Structure formats: C-alpha cells, structure tokens
C-alpha cells in the first residue's frame, strides 16, 4: 500500500499525485447511506419499530466488514422492520434524512463536467428514488422493500437484476455502466464509507472514502475525514 499523505487537514491521499482533472473521468458512483446522506435509513426505519439499537448494531458490524455475508445481514435487519408503516418511512425522509454537506455541489460539478452519475446502495428504493430525483442522478440500484396495505412485510422483492444490492452488485453495476458507455473502469470514480463499498471502489480508477470506517479509509486513494463531499474538488480541477 502506498504511503498515505495528508495534503490538508482531514484530506488524505495515497497512490497518486494531485491534481487530476474532473474531465479525466466519465462516471462517478456514490453510496447513499452515510455518504450522500446523513443517516443509515434501515436504522431509522427500525426506530419506528422500537428496534433501532438491535438493527444499528448489525449495520455497524456490516459496515466495518465484521459480517462476511452482507445479504444475510440485510435480510436479518429487514425482517425486524416487519409491521412498520410506509407512513413512518415518509417521516424518516421528511424529518431525519438530510444530504451530507457538499453533496449537491459535487454532483452538480460532476454533471457539469459531462459525467454520468450513479447511486448504488445497500439501502432502499424508497429513499434512492427520492435522492435521484432531488439531485438529478442518472441511474440507481438499491433494494425494494415489500409492503402490503401500507405496511412492511419484513421481506425484500427480487428485481430484474437480482435479489439484493450488496458489494458485488455495486461493483457489477459500475462495470456494466462503464461497458455501456464504452469507457474503462479507470475513468470511473467510486465513493463510499462502508465495507460493502470496497468492491466497487477497488474496481474504479479513483476510490474515495467519505468519513469512512477504518478499513475503507486504509484502502481508498482519497479519504475525506472532515468537511463535505465537495472537498474532492480540491483534488480534481
């Protein structure tokens, strides 16, 4: 692993020399929970069921990479959401979810540079669809919660691409999109905070950790440890 170097407070690089040009890249893929937004949505939904502590403990272990089977950990957490109303999810979105600092600025800068923007999340379509529309993101992939009569069943539904968006699926979508665009993975940026982001970060030409878990910071080419997402623009001109 190359030597890490803090080029300004809270901004660490390893494995390359800045500045790069934003126009060197054609694609950027973002994680959602705790990256583009300030919360872990599954934990906040669980709060409505009185199970936040239990669910958040599983989420934290999964993000640290202490749980090897992400899909099973997500199924366990979603099962604990059974009985939560869709109205409670609306409250999470309206009252608890906020974009992280610099999110809108960075996405807008990427789009202005002609980049395609992806949102790939181990979270849920209920939230990714809204963030997609809010930030004018090009495409998303995330998990679909099953609801019957306005109440969660504790299960997720399969989608045309598969069952659960885990780390491997995030990497797959990044590479599929590169292929569709006729670009190499070296022209892609991947940005996340948890262990399930490492597969796509490892495939991308530039990997960025945002206020991330230690294992993710250690492997990323850029680690933003303080300040907003738009600090990436300090390196990409």
């Amino acid at each position: 692993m190359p030597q890490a170097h803090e080029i300004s407070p809270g901004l660490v690089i390893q494995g390359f020399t800045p500045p790069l040009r934003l126009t060197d890249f054609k694609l950027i893929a973002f994680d959602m929970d705790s990256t583009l937004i300030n919360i872990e949505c599954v934990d906040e939904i669980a709060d409505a069921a009185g199970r936040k502590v239990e669910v958040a403990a599983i989420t934290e272990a999964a993000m640290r990479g202490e749980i090897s089977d992400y899909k099973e950990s997500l199924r366990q957490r979603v099962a604990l959401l059974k009985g939560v109303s869709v109205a409670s999810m609306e409250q999470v979105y309206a009252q608890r979810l906020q974009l992280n600092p610099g999110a809108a600025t960075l996405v807008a800068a990427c789009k202005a540079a002609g980049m395609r923007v992806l949102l790939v999340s181990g979270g849920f379509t209920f939230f990714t669809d809204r963030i997609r529309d809010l930030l004018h993101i090009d495409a998303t992939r995330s998990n679909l919660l099953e609801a019957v009569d306005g109440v969660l069943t504790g299960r997720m539904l399969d989608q045309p691409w598969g069952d659960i968006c885990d780390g491997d699926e995030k990497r797959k979508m990044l590479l599929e999109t590169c292929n569709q665009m006729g670009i190499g993975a070296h022209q892609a940026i991947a940005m996340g905070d948890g262990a399930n982001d490492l597969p796509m970060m490892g495939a991308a030409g530039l990997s960025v950790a945002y206020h991330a878990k230690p294992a993710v910071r250690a492997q990323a080419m850029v680690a933003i440890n303080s300040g907003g997402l738009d600090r990436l623009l300090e390196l990409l001109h």
Side-chain angles (χ1 to χ4, degrees), residues 25-212:
F25 300 95
K26 304 300 181 187
L27 174 70
I28 186 166
F30 290 98
D31 170 51
M32 182 177 69
D33 296 68
S34 299
T35 301
L36 270 187
I37 66 173
N38 64 321
I39 59 173
E40 293 286 338
C41 291
V42 66
D43 298 354
E44 301 307 319
I45 300 168
D47 199 22
R51 293 171 170 161
K52 182 174 181 178
V53 172
E54 184 177 357
V55 169
I58 301 173
T59 300
E60 177 69 12
M63 291 304 98
R64 286 185 173 275
E66 296 162 4
I67 295 176
S68 58
D69 190 339
Y70 179 85
K71 288 188 178 184
E72 184 54 34
S73 82
L74 188 60
R75 289 189 188 101
Q76 290 174 6
R77 285 175 282 166
V78 169
L80 294 170
L81 306 181
K82 183 178 180 179
V84 173
S85 69
V86 173
S88 294
M89 293 169 63
E90 292 281 5
Q91 286 185 328
V92 170
Y93 180 75
Q95 298 175 12
R96 302 189 184 188
L97 186 153
Q98 296 177 354
L99 293 176
N100 270 329
T105 300
L106 178 57
V107 170
C110 290
K111 291 187 72 68
M115 296 171 68
R116 186 168 172 83
V117 181
L118 303 183
L119 178 52
V120 282
S121 173
F124 309 117
T125 57
F126 183 90
F127 300 100
T128 57
D129 287 356
R130 287 161 168 78
I131 299 301
R132 175 197 65 203
D133 295 347
L134 181 65
L135 293 177
H136 307 292
I137 286 170
D138 295 299
T140 66
R141 185 160 294 180
S142 58
N143 302 302
L144 180 58
L145 292 170
E146 182 183 57
V148 175
D149 297 328
V151 176
L152 298 183
T153 65
R155 294 187 296 271
M156 289 172 285
L157 296 173
D158 288 355
Q159 298 179 75
W161 48 262
D163 56 355
I164 290 175
C165 187
D166 62 354
D168 288 340
E169 189 63 38
K170 290 185 177 195
R171 179 179 182 274
K172 179 182 170 187
M173 188 180 186
L174 177 86
L175 294 176
E176 282 179 352
T177 305
C178 287
N179 188 53
Q180 290 164 6
M181 295 175 66
I183 65 171
H186 68 280
Q187 294 172 285
I189 301 170
M191 196 165 193
D193 74 298
N196 64 327
D197 298 314
L198 286 172
M200 72 168 179
M201 290 170 67
L206 185 66
S207 56
V208 185
Y210 180 72
H211 293 229

